[in-house]
Amino acid sequence: MADEESSVPAEEKIEATQTAGPEGAETEAPPADAEGQPEPEAPETGDRGPTEAAEGAEKTEEKTEEDKPEAEPTETEGTKEAPTVEAAQEEGATEEEKPQSPAGSKPASQAGSARGSKPPTPTGSKPGTPQGSKPGTPKGSKPPTPRGSKPPTPTGSQQGTPRAGSREGSAPGSRQGSAGKERTASAGKERPTSAGKERPSSGKDRPPSAGKDRPGSGTARPSSGRSRKSSAASQKSARAGSAGKPPSGKASPVVPGDQSVADTKPPTVGGRHTPVSRKSEASEEPIPIDALNMVWSFGLNKRVPAINMTDDQRRLVLYTCAHTAVLYDYSNNTQKLLQGHCNVISSTCVSEDRRWIATADSGQNSMVIVWDSYSCIPVQTLFDPHVGGVTTMAMTPDAKFLVTVSAAETQTVAIWDWTTESDGPICQAELDPAYGHQNYVLFNPEDPTELVSNSESQVIFYSWKGGKLEYYAPELDDSTFNRAVGQYSQSIFQFDLGTRAFTATSVGNIVVWDSKRPSSEAPANSNDATKKALKLVRLQDRAITVLTTTDSYIVTGDVMGHVKFYDDQLTMINWYSDFDLGPVNALSFMYMPEFITDVVESSGFPPDATIAASKFVVKDFIVGTATAVMGHVKADGTILDVILLEHDAAVHAICTHPTEPRLCMGSYSGLLKIWDYERKEVLVSRQFERGNMIRCLAFDPTGLILAAGFMDGSVRVLDALTLDDEVSEPFRYARDSVTHCCFSHDSNFLATADADFTVSVFRTGRGQEEEAWVYLGRHRAHYKLIESLMFGMELDTNQPRLLSLGRDRVMVEYDLVNSGKDDLRLLSQDRIEQSAVPSCMAWYPPVTKESFIVTANSQFKLKLYNTTTKMCRKTLLGPTYGAPVQKVAVLPTTGSPIEYRHLAYITTDKVGLHILPADGNPHKAMALIAHPTGVANLACSYDGKYVFTAGGEDCTAHMWSVSLKSLDAACSLGGENLIPFYGLLDGGREGEFFRELEDYFYYAQIRSQGVDATIDREVSTTIPLSEVPYVMRALGFYPTEQEIDDMLNEVKFSKYVETGQYVTHIDLGDFIRLYINHRPAFGLSPLDLQKAFEILGMDTEDGPAIDRGSLLDLLQSKGEHMTEAELAEFLTTLVGMNPEGGSSELGPYDSEQGTNMLEDALPRDFTAVSFAADVLGFQLYAPSTARPATASAASSTAEDL
């Protein structure tokens, strides 16, 4: 039996262990018949290529369980095929003896798991770590690499792929674990000691590398000059933490892979204890790890050329959407999402057999990830390959090596052997910036030691051997051939003649390059990078944008959308000129190693352009264009099938249907599409005339009407089924772009807001003499950009309410009842913020007895306002994921309890969920990177199952499935009651800060009863509300008078709706919540003081300065005014001329005497440095000899700021 099993090919074994994929479909296995496919050649060093490693594993004989010795495995046992988990369990294997199943296969117990699920983790081990070894890996060492280990599968499409989003911050209690612990003896013996390191084969031979995990936000990273490699397990660090820890001071860095996972504790993701994916015993439905999981990407990145992944078994095309690579099966209309990058993907490449995919991004924390295209598993990762990331890259046909070109101003070209565990490139070279930005690179298919790259102005040839990369930049200008050369687009090497190369240009030329003719003294060297331009061939008048090869043909694509085929003498053989898809930017042919060119006469292949008019037989190919259109050309019959027609301009406008699974998308290209997002089909589309850039969209509550706002200020009312105009002419009342539009709950009113700070209102027509919609009026009630516009409903009369919120910090309500034609009236104007800038608002769901409006602001706060009085009733710490919340939307619910509600939100680049009611608990929120270049809009499905995000400039939209159970489970792991809030204090519950807070709290009880009182004191667990401001200031938080009123009102009216009584005292627990929610989310910054002086001061030699009189006048006349007596008391106390405590503890203060003292004590002019040193006593700006002030504020240091 063992001999029979060992003779089974590896491909058949993978096929036998297939399990259902994320959509219920089986995971694709590599083709069983691999004959004819070029295999990587083994280098002289003894290293084996990706395919050879698989063959080596197949030839290794398997031992049955009865024949296995009980001794510890030797170093060569790693090459044996791993038995399945079920077999190990049947034989009674221990947890450390159970090998992991091969990549692309799963235990039978996990068959049929849904998207985003994760295999259960053995007790005491970490996901992605070989069983029997420690999860942590000492820095600088490599993890054991047992044969047969299984990398984690991708999340969102296949299991275990690094998430699209990165979680920022860490939950309190997250910690670094056993990075320095020793490995177990068995794990240490699993590392092979052969001279040549084994290369990945079908994905099952390459284990996940647990060492050198990618650090999360806030973790120190190594210098970008030294790249690090890791495989699939380390991809998890691309996630951002679910509970960003706002400063209580210091966010603890989280290093996934270095955490010690105890047997009794669940694993952590992004610093937060998170349950692994599991099936509920009651429902048998898988519970994903993350609350949001990307399930579909609408659109494509037209700047990254698409690649045809089609072969004789599958119909796939590879393209990118923002930071996600998409394997799109255009025959079955399914997607597999390759998620792991934190930045927009800038380049992709594949091996010749389409087995291996490499993706790269540019920006901070850049990566190069190599994927197995059959299992969609990441098998290798290069962290920080270049400073600034990668602008272009290429892979050798045998998939052994990668070349990357950096995106920095001074570019670097590097060669990588990604199949080994080396820490850096084999060789690299720095290019002269005068050569221009190199944006295309290619290996010579005949000789991988030669490369070519080009910018728009310079072509460079490379040769690398023995760890040294040499390059030569030949000169060529218009005077060389006395003709215009043009700008370079792409370069190739000529087949069967590796020394010759071609470069296409923007004026229709082909530059022919060849090695310099050898002199009589030196023989010719075919591997020399020195080349020169032999000739300049004029092929056409228009720019050639794509230059590639297939079989024996040279293929070009141009700005006219034409595709032309030439022989090696640049003689045209055939052309396609009637595709009409737009300027070509990608041409890619299917992989067919045994392509037969002899066909029968009755076939549909067209005749070529030769005199013989022979059948022109080529492989099927993909055409991609600069207008985001992708077509598949079936050569037999010349059949063009448009498989993608997407937006080629910014997508800001998205909205969802109120009752059906429909998503409406509009872009600056004027394309409007309505999708059935469950079937992934376009129901109807409309292309508006050029210049009609769609900015916002909204369905009415019935779902029959669709409103569209445009950048030119026009508004169109459309039929939601046909997208035909409901009104004969668009409304053109706005003077600037329309940024918001919405309908009232009864569909009788339509309101729009524009960039001219104006709100316009339209109503339904009355009678046959009026149009379906007519203009009512407009009002310019704001003086800064309007951030939010929404309709509501009166609680008693069900009449519609209209409110707008602007960056001017004003909330405006409009009087719709009393408004008439050209007379839109206002009902109220309320300034709701002092210093923070509001960014959005929404109606708070009825999870409380009081009705609220929720707003988010630029200081990471959520605020609840009474819908009637507009009084601020609560201030809460909001999500802290790198940027403040930009937009919120209450997640719709069907059949859930009314108190079980959630809030969807977006920040600058992330999308997240928040559990309601909000209370400042950071564990109630999570976030993932949605669009690295910025999230432009947010929408929720009518049933709350999906969230949609628009990426703006990246021309894409993403669809996220919602798993509320995952979010609730993660929140429960963060603790209950005050436990999450203790974690936000410096030092936590046992820290010095908490003990100091307790001291201040009980001292406030003494103050409230009189400091010098001699009567018996009453000791209780509460303090009067009047003492709250003093305790806040003692803790270093100095609220304004308005903020004090908000705090006191929040506590005072907290139980008024339930009991009808005011709250007059506060206990320690409620005080801690109040302090956490109201203090600045990230503390005070010294830059704030510097910025104030830059705005208010005059430029001097010492920097911006304010004279003493102007400063005193500003303090008394601007903001919250100070009286002269208050100002004198405060300043004399700060400079040490008045005892600490002031009039609040020491009695009345003589302000006249203080004023006279200040004239002598204060300098004539203040700079930020002198004010901080001489008045505030902060040493950050002051020299070491500066005199510190004696007031209580003088004890503050730069860290306190």
Side-chain angles (χ1 to χ4, degrees):
M1 179 64 69
D3 294 336
E4 293 177 0
E5 291 180 356
S6 63
S7 64
V8 178
E11 288 80 7
E12 295 182 15
K13 294 178 183 177
I14 292 178
E15 184 177 0
T17 58
Q18 284 180 345
T19 58
E23 300 291 348
E26 290 189 343
T27 305
E28 289 181 310
D33 185 10
E35 294 181 7
Q37 299 184 12
E39 297 179 355
E41 298 180 2
E44 296 179 358
T45 59
D47 288 4
R48 293 186 292 172
T51 308
E52 291 174 333
E55 292 177 353
E58 295 169 16
K59 294 177 183 178
T60 305
E61 293 184 359
E62 279 188 343
K63 292 187 178 182
T64 61
E65 290 291 335
E66 293 125 13
D67 297 332
K68 282 188 178 180
E70 296 182 1
E72 292 183 352
T74 63
E75 295 175 344
T76 59
E77 285 181 33
T79 59
K80 298 177 183 178
E81 181 179 352
T84 62
V85 174
E86 289 81 3
Q89 291 173 346
E90 291 173 2
E91 297 298 329
T94 64
E95 197 68 25
E96 292 186 357
E97 294 170 344
K98 295 178 186 176
Q100 297 180 354
S101 55
S105 65
K106 303 176 190 174
S109 61
Q110 298 177 34
S113 62
R115 181 188 309 277
S117 62
K118 181 177 180 181
T121 305
T123 304
S125 67
K126 178 172 181 172
T129 305
Q131 297 182 19
S133 64
K134 297 289 183 183
T137 302
K139 198 166 186 178
S141 65
K142 298 295 178 185
T145 54
R147 301 276 294 181
S149 64
K150 176 182 177 182
T153 36
T155 353
S157 60
Q158 303 283 341
Q159 300 179 7
T161 300
R163 290 293 303 141
S166 122
R167 300 229 178 143
E168 294 196 357
S170 59
S174 63
R175 66 192 189 281
Q176 294 185 2
S178 55
K181 294 185 179 180
E182 282 184 73
R183 304 174 184 273
T184 60
S186 61
K189 292 185 179 181
E190 289 174 349
R191 180 185 294 276
T193 57
S194 58
K197 296 184 180 178
E198 309 219 346
R199 304 174 186 269
S201 171
S202 60
K204 67 181 181 179
D205 298 327
R206 189 169 192 86
S209 176
K212 294 189 178 181
D213 285 333
R214 183 177 185 78
S217 175
T219 307
R221 299 179 56 80
S223 62
S224 57
R226 178 178 177 85
S227 300
R228 301 179 295 152
K229 286 190 178 183
S230 176
S231 59
S234 61
Q235 307 288 329
K236 297 179 183 177
S237 57
R239 310 179 178 201
S242 59
K245 182 174 180 179
S248 47
K250 308 165 178 135
S252 58
V254 180
V255 183
D258 285 348
Q259 293 177 343
S260 176
V261 182
D263 293 353
T264 58
K265 295 182 179 180
T268 62
V269 176
R272 176 184 70 181
H273 287 294
T274 307
V276 297
S277 179
R278 62 199 183 281
K279 289 189 176 182
S280 170
E281 297 180 358
S283 64
E284 291 297 324
E285 293 181 358
I287 302 178
I289 290 180
D290 293 308
L292 290 173
N293 297 275
M294 190 190 300
V295 294
W296 194 267
S297 287
F298 302 92
L300 61 87
N301 185 351
K302 62 182 181 181
R303 298 175 182 85
V304 179
I307 300 176
N308 194 353
M309 303 292 291
T310 301
D311 54 27
D312 55 353
Q313 291 189 357
R314 55 184 185 173
R315 300 291 181 266
L316 298 177
V317 61
L318 173 70
Y319 59 92
T320 65
C321 287
H323 61 324
T324 302
V326 180
L327 275 173
Y328 177 56
D329 186 335
Y330 51 86
S331 62
N332 298 318
N333 193 30
T334 58
Q335 288 183 352
K336 293 182 179 179
L337 306 178
L338 309 183
Q339 304 173 67
H341 292 276
C342 298
N343 304 299
V344 173
I345 295 177
S346 58
S347 181
T348 60
C349 62
V350 298
S351 59
E352 185 181 31
D353 61 1
R354 305 301 194 268
R355 177 62 186 275
W356 308 104
I357 299 171
T359 58
D361 63 67
S362 59
Q364 190 178 7
N365 302 334
S366 63
M367 292 186 289
V368 174
I369 305 178
V370 182
W371 312 79
D372 185 332
S373 67
Y374 287 95
S375 63
C376 297
I377 292 175
V379 295
Q380 188 60 286
T381 301
L382 312 179
F383 291 119
D384 292 317
H386 297 282
V387 175
V390 176
T391 187
T392 184
M393 66 177 177
M395 183 182 289
T396 55
D398 59 7
K400 286 185 180 180
F401 303 104
L402 277 172
V403 57
T404 58
V405 182
S406 70
E409 183 177 354
T410 300
Q411 291 184 287
T412 303
V413 179
I415 309 292
W416 306 81
D417 184 355
W418 65 269
T419 60
T420 64
E421 294 294 333
S422 60
D423 285 335
I426 300 174
C427 53
Q428 60 183 350
E430 187 175 289
L431 303 181
D432 189 339
Y435 294 152
H437 190 77
Q438 301 289 310
N439 53 24
Y440 186 82
V441 68
L442 184 72
F443 278 102
N444 186 343
E446 304 291 333
D447 183 5
T449 63
E450 291 189 356
L451 304 94
V452 62
S453 72
N454 67 261
S455 64
E456 292 184 351
S457 59
Q458 182 66 60
V459 178
I460 304 177
F461 295 92
Y462 309 81
S463 176
W464 63 282
K465 281 186 179 179
K468 184 178 181 181
L469 177 63
E470 299 179 345
Y471 66 89
Y472 177 72
E475 296 182 358
L476 177 62
D477 53 31
D478 295 348
S479 63
T480 305
F481 296 103
N482 202 23
R483 286 193 307 178
V485 177
Q487 295 179 339
Y488 303 124
S489 57
Q490 292 185 1
S491 302
I492 60 170
F493 287 95
Q494 185 176 355
F495 47 85
D496 298 330
L497 190 58
T499 60
R500 181 167 295 179
F502 301 110
T503 300
T505 75
S506 61
V507 294
N509 292 330
I510 293 289
V511 182
V512 182
W513 310 89
D514 208 339
S515 297
K516 289 187 174 180
R517 296 183 181 276
S519 63
S520 57
E521 292 82 7
N525 183 6
S526 61
N527 293 325
D528 192 0
T530 59
K531 297 185 185 296
K532 69 175 182 178
L534 292 184
K535 62 178 69 173
L536 188 65
V537 181
R538 181 79 167 184
L539 293 186
Q540 60 186 52
D541 295 333
R542 300 300 183 110
I544 300 174
T545 54
V546 177
L547 182 63
T548 185
T549 62
T550 178
D551 299 326
S552 59
Y553 298 114
I554 298 171
V555 190
T556 66
D558 57 33
V559 294
M560 299 297 293
H562 302 167
V563 179
K564 300 177 182 179
F565 293 78
Y566 300 86
D567 62 10
D568 57 355
Q569 300 300 316
L570 295 180
T571 301
M572 185 180 295
I573 304 300
N574 196 23
W575 70 91
Y576 297 93
S577 60
D578 54 356
F579 289 157
D580 195 25
L581 298 178
V584 178
N585 68 356
L587 286 172
S588 184
F589 293 81
M590 70 176 294
Y591 174 67
M592 189 178 292
E594 297 181 356
F595 182 61
I596 301 175
T597 58
D598 297 332
V599 296
V600 297
E601 289 295 326
S602 59
S603 65
F605 290 97
D608 61 23
T610 62
I611 297 177
S614 304
K615 289 288 186 181
F616 179 69
V617 182
V618 293
K619 303 171 186 175
D620 298 346
F621 58 95
I622 291 289
V623 181
T625 73
T627 56
V629 180
M630 190 182 301
H632 174 264
V633 179
K634 182 176 175 57
D636 189 357
T638 316
I639 302 172
L640 173 65
D641 182 19
V642 178
I643 58 179
L644 287 174
L645 177 59
E646 298 296 344
H647 304 272
D648 66 336
V651 176
H652 288 266
I654 59 172
C655 66
T656 53
H657 196 278
T659 58
E660 297 179 7
R662 296 181 182 179
L663 171 69
C664 187
M665 294 176 57
S667 68
Y668 285 1
S669 65
L671 178 61
L672 182 62
K673 300 170 71 173
I674 296 182
W675 286 81
D676 184 325
Y677 56 76
E678 288 186 346
R679 295 187 298 170
K680 314 300 186 300
E681 295 178 358
V682 178
L683 301 178
V684 61
S685 66
R686 178 178 175 180
Q687 179 67 57
F688 290 95
E689 298 80 5
R690 184 174 181 177
N692 286 274
M693 298 184 287
I694 304 172
R695 181 62 178 81
C696 58
L697 294 166
F699 279 104
D700 82 319
T702 65
L704 301 177
I705 301 297
L706 178 69
F710 292 80
M711 289 293 290
D712 62 358
S714 62
V715 177
R716 292 177 183 265
V717 181
L718 310 173
D719 185 296
L721 298 178
T722 63
L723 297 184
D724 294 332
D725 290 311
E726 285 283 309
V727 182
S728 58
E729 290 293 331
F731 298 113
R732 301 184 184 275
Y733 294 95
R735 300 176 182 177
D736 208 330
S737 61
V738 178
T739 57
H740 299 80
C741 59
C742 58
F743 285 91
S744 62
H745 72 282
D746 55 6
S747 299
N748 288 332
F749 292 95
L750 165 65
T752 65
D754 57 55
D756 194 35
F757 324 140
T758 304
V759 171
S760 303
V761 178
F762 308 87
R763 61 169 177 83
T764 54
R766 299 169 183 170
Q768 298 181 353
E769 70 279 1
E770 291 185 343
E771 291 261 16
W773 289 85
V774 296
Y775 170 74
L776 178 62
R778 58 200 307 262
H779 202 292
R780 198 172 190 265
H782 297 273
Y783 64 90
K784 287 188 177 181
L785 189 66
I786 297 174
E787 291 287 1
S788 190
L789 181 72
M790 67 179 184
F791 273 101
M793 188 170 55
E794 293 284 355
L795 299 179
D796 300 328
T797 63
N798 289 338
Q799 290 292 327
R801 299 176 61 184
L802 177 62
L803 296 94
S804 63
L805 180 64
R807 291 184 182 175
D808 53 6
R809 305 178 179 90
V810 176
M811 181 184 293
V812 180
E813 183 168 2
Y814 300 84
D815 188 355
L816 297 178
V817 176
N818 298 315
S819 297
K821 178 68 173 178
D822 292 327
D823 182 23
L824 181 60
R825 299 184 179 182
L826 303 184
L827 192 61
S828 64
Q829 287 180 288
D830 299 279
R831 184 180 176 92
I832 63 171
E833 295 281 3
Q834 273 192 309
S835 58
V837 178
S839 56
C840 58
M841 66 176 174
W843 295 102
Y844 202 64
V847 294
T848 59
K849 294 184 178 180
E850 192 173 355
S851 179
F852 293 124
I853 296 172
V854 59
T855 68
N857 65 28
S858 59
Q859 296 179 353
F860 296 88
K861 303 294 185 183
L862 299 177
K863 289 192 173 184
L864 303 184
Y865 295 89
N866 184 281
T867 57
T868 303
T869 64
K870 308 299 192 311
M871 175 189 291
C872 180
R873 290 284 290 102
K874 281 189 178 181
T875 300
L876 305 163
L877 178 65
T880 52
Y881 296 101
V885 173
Q886 302 296 321
K887 185 176 181 180
V888 297
V890 177
L891 203 64
T893 181
T894 54
S896 300
I898 195 170
E899 65 275 3
Y900 185 71
R901 302 300 298 271
H902 295 75
L903 193 73
Y905 66 90
I906 56 175
T907 66
T908 301
D909 60 345
K910 298 176 181 63
V911 60
L913 293 177
H914 197 294
I915 299 176
L916 298 179
D919 58 6
N921 181 355
H923 297 281
K924 285 190 172 184
M926 59 79 59
L928 299 171
I929 291 180
H931 301 268
T933 57
V935 186
N937 208 344
L938 170 73
C940 302
S941 64
Y942 73 97
D943 54 5
K945 293 181 179 179
Y946 301 102
V947 171
F948 301 89
T949 56
E953 295 300 326
D954 65 16
C955 308
T956 63
H958 291 155
M959 176 178 173
W960 308 81
S961 65
V962 176
S963 174
L964 300 180
K965 292 183 179 179
S966 299
L967 182 59
D968 295 341
C971 178
S972 64
L973 290 174
E976 298 178 350
N977 299 323
L978 287 174
I979 293 177
F981 296 92
Y982 290 146
L984 299 180
L985 299 174
D986 286 326
R989 176 65 176 81
E990 305 300 326
E992 181 181 351
F993 182 84
F994 181 81
R995 292 195 296 270
E996 184 179 359
L997 188 155
E998 285 184 315
D999 292 341
Y1000 289 145
F1001 190 82
Y1002 292 114
Y1003 177 67
Q1005 294 186 17
I1006 298 176
R1007 284 188 76 258
S1008 64
Q1009 300 174 33
V1011 177
D1012 299 326
T1014 58
I1015 60 175
D1016 293 340
R1017 301 186 180 277
E1018 298 178 2
V1019 179
S1020 67
T1021 59
T1022 64
I1023 61 173
L1025 291 185
S1026 58
E1027 295 297 320
V1028 168
Y1030 299 102
V1031 182
M1032 291 288 183
R1033 294 181 184 118
L1035 294 173
F1037 169 40
Y1038 301 96
T1040 65
E1041 295 301 319
Q1042 179 62 51
E1043 290 171 337
I1044 291 174
D1045 289 343
D1046 290 342
M1047 284 190 291
L1048 298 183
N1049 288 334
E1050 179 176 328
V1051 179
K1052 182 178 180 180
F1053 295 100
S1054 58
K1055 298 181 180 179
Y1056 187 80
V1057 176
E1058 293 86 355
T1059 64
Q1061 297 179 351
Y1062 298 128
V1063 176
T1064 58
H1065 288 69
I1066 185 172
D1067 60 23
L1068 181 60
D1070 289 338
F1071 180 84
I1072 291 175
R1073 290 189 180 94
L1074 195 68
Y1075 171 73
I1076 293 293
N1077 285 321
H1078 282 264
R1079 70 173 182 179
F1082 292 96
L1084 299 175
S1085 171
L1087 297 179
D1088 295 336
L1089 182 62
Q1090 181 70 33
K1091 183 178 180 181
F1093 272 81
E1094 291 175 356
I1095 295 174
L1096 301 175
M1098 302 293 292
D1099 291 332
T1100 65
E1101 294 180 357
D1102 298 328
I1106 306 176
D1107 66 86
R1108 181 179 58 198
S1110 298
L1111 178 62
L1112 298 178
D1113 181 65
L1114 288 171
L1115 293 174
Q1116 295 179 74
S1117 60
K1118 302 296 183 182
E1120 291 184 342
H1121 305 169
M1122 294 184 186
T1123 65
E1124 185 176 350
E1126 291 174 336
L1127 186 59
E1129 178 185 354
F1130 299 156
L1131 287 176
T1132 52
T1133 303
L1134 284 173
V1135 298
M1137 297 179 176
N1138 190 42
E1140 296 184 18
S1143 58
S1144 62
E1145 292 188 359
L1146 304 179
Y1149 172 75
D1150 185 2
S1151 60
E1152 293 183 2
Q1153 182 181 0
T1155 303
N1156 297 329
M1157 296 169 60
L1158 286 176
E1159 292 181 359
D1160 299 328
L1162 297 179
R1164 183 177 298 275
D1165 296 309
F1166 283 104
T1167 63
V1169 174
S1170 63
F1171 186 81
D1174 299 334
V1175 178
L1176 301 181
F1178 297 146
Q1179 298 301 311
L1180 182 64
Y1181 295 108
S1184 57
T1185 58
R1187 173 185 59 82
T1190 58
S1192 59
S1195 61
S1196 298
T1197 62
E1199 286 143 355
D1200 294 326
L1201 285 175

